[in-house]
Amino acid sequence: MTAPLWIGPAPAPPLLTELTASHWALWGECIAFPGLINSHDHLVFNCYPPTGAPPYDDFLGWSRDVQADRALVRRIEAIPAALRRQVGLLKNLLWGVTAVVDHGGAPGDGPIGVLAPYQDLHSPELASPWRWLGGLGPAVLHLAEGVTADSRRRALDFLRENLFRRRVAGVHGVSLAGEDFRRLASLIWCPASNLFLFGRTADVTAALRHTPVLFGTDATISAPGTLWDHLRQARGRIPDAALFDGLTGAAARFWRHAAPNDLVIARRRAVDRWDAFFALTPADILLVVRAGRPVLVDGDLGAPSGYGRLTVGGRIKHVDLAVAEMLAALRPQLDTAALLDRFGAVAE
């Protein structure tokens, strides 16, 4: 039996050596990698199923359709925002994420880190130019979230008003082209959301020539499938190493998130390191460690006291969240079985 194959910057962190020694007989053939950073989500929108009637020209048409479904919106928005936020944290944790950028949310702690070192400008369509003057850190906005020339024009016009040359993280960038990406300090790529809404995603090959490409899942309201499904949709559009870097090193550098004791150990499903990583499913995640502390533990490794319990792909997972209480609070408003199914899980 060998130690887990480390996929990440060399050398592997000392914590991996400690974990390997303490659970040697339980690992089997595994891979290990840094805790993943989801650079775009809306935590409170993960109680929604994929919504709307795509394809759309831009997000404005989709937003109108969502708002028109008043019964759905009333039912979901009746759930307290704090509870919906916990649902978003659970989703990310089950997928191996240890830090998430919650667009429009606030920083926070919990089983995973919630990053907010930025100013939310939302989008050119819904923000005023004067907002360039306020806030700290990079400006993050939904940019060119559509397939039309007008969507691109609105994005470029808004960027021209960035007179103070603030660093801009553009989310989506679907209709941007070529040199447009030079204006961004990073592109946050959410291919599953783009393909669901528009049938098209950003030209990440062009983007990567000019700026880092970070990876985001977006919320389930517009992004069906798990993070691992999203990665398989994305694979092949840019090199595997760059796609992985968008979830790890590049994201950590952009958000200034140093977390050497965040890591994930998962079952190895292929010989090649990249095939093994991109073949993963939530069921394959054996251990998620944040700040040196396990926050998700596969049932074969034990059952930490006080952790919530779910089944993921037929395997028991223990998570550092009050799952039973969360689901009980959600049931008056939601089909919790369908909710968990979207995350790749079922209730115990």
Side-chain angles (χ1 to χ4, degrees):
M1 187 178 296
T2 59
L5 170 68
W6 174 248
I7 303 175
L15 178 61
L16 180 60
T17 303
E18 296 171 19
L19 290 169
T20 300
S22 60
H23 294 85
W24 183 264
L26 300 176
W27 292 129
E29 289 293 319
C30 296
I31 61 173
F33 46 89
L36 303 180
I37 300 172
N38 181 359
S39 286
H40 186 68
D41 203 343
H42 299 269
L43 292 178
V44 297
F45 291 159
N46 285 293
C47 287
Y48 285 89
T51 302
Y56 294 96
D57 286 339
D58 61 30
F59 81 96
L60 295 171
W62 170 71
S63 180
R64 285 191 291 269
D65 278 0
V66 172
Q67 294 302 318
D69 192 344
R70 294 180 181 177
L72 174 66
V73 172
R74 277 197 301 269
R75 183 159 51 85
I76 301 298
E77 298 301 318
I79 301 167
L83 179 57
R84 287 185 282 133
R85 189 174 186 272
Q86 290 292 300
V87 171
L89 294 177
L90 174 64
K91 178 196 84 168
N92 279 275
L93 177 56
L94 290 173
W95 296 350
V97 171
T98 55
V100 59
V101 180
D102 182 20
H103 198 161
D109 215 358
I112 67 174
V114 180
L115 310 181
Y118 63 86
Q119 181 192 10
D120 169 23
L121 295 185
H122 193 275
S123 64
E125 292 81 1
L126 301 179
S128 300
W130 64 265
R131 292 188 65 188
W132 285 115
L133 301 176
L136 300 173
V140 179
L141 63 156
H142 298 80
L143 197 69
E145 191 179 0
V147 297
T148 65
D150 275 349
S151 177
R152 177 176 179 242
R153 177 189 54 76
R154 292 192 298 264
L156 296 179
D157 286 350
F158 195 73
L159 290 173
R160 288 188 193 100
E161 292 161 352
N162 182 16
L163 301 180
F164 292 93
R165 303 292 179 90
R166 292 188 59 187
R167 297 169 71 232
V168 175
V171 184
H172 302 302
V174 177
S175 55
L176 296 181
E179 298 289 317
D180 297 347
F181 293 104
R182 285 187 181 276
R183 299 172 178 269
L184 304 181
S186 71
L187 172 71
I188 301 175
W189 185 32
C190 304
S193 178
N194 304 155
L195 292 168
F196 173 72
L197 292 179
F198 313 118
R200 175 179 151 189
T201 191
D203 184 352
V204 284
T205 301
L208 200 57
R209 296 190 194 106
H210 302 294
T211 195
V213 173
L214 314 183
F215 198 87
T217 63
D218 217 329
T220 57
I221 191 172
S222 68
T226 72
L227 165 69
W228 301 99
D229 298 318
H230 300 182
L231 287 170
R232 284 184 281 277
Q233 284 182 297
R235 195 181 185 195
R237 295 174 186 261
I238 55 176
D240 287 344
L243 184 51
F244 178 79
D245 197 41
L247 281 161
T248 55
R253 290 187 294 274
F254 185 82
W255 301 115
R256 299 179 182 176
H257 178 66
N261 289 323
D262 288 9
L263 62 83
V264 179
I265 298 178
R267 295 192 184 281
R268 187 171 182 174
R269 296 166 60 90
V271 174
D272 176 80
R273 62 196 290 115
W274 295 127
D275 288 346
F277 179 77
F278 290 110
L280 291 177
T281 70
D284 297 317
I285 305 294
L286 296 175
L287 187 69
V288 178
V289 177
R290 178 172 178 251
R293 179 174 171 273
V295 289
L296 180 149
V297 180
D298 185 85
D300 282 355
L301 302 180
S305 176
Y307 278 36
R309 175 171 158 149
L310 292 163
T311 298
V312 180
R315 300 190 61 83
I316 301 299
K317 307 292 178 183
H318 302 278
V319 297
D320 188 17
L321 283 166
V323 173
E325 293 84 349
M326 180 191 305
L327 296 178
L330 290 168
R331 282 192 186 102
Q333 302 295 337
L334 283 183
D335 178 346
T336 54
L339 174 76
L340 291 176
D341 183 64
R342 291 194 288 274
F343 302 166
V346 296
E348 278 291 295

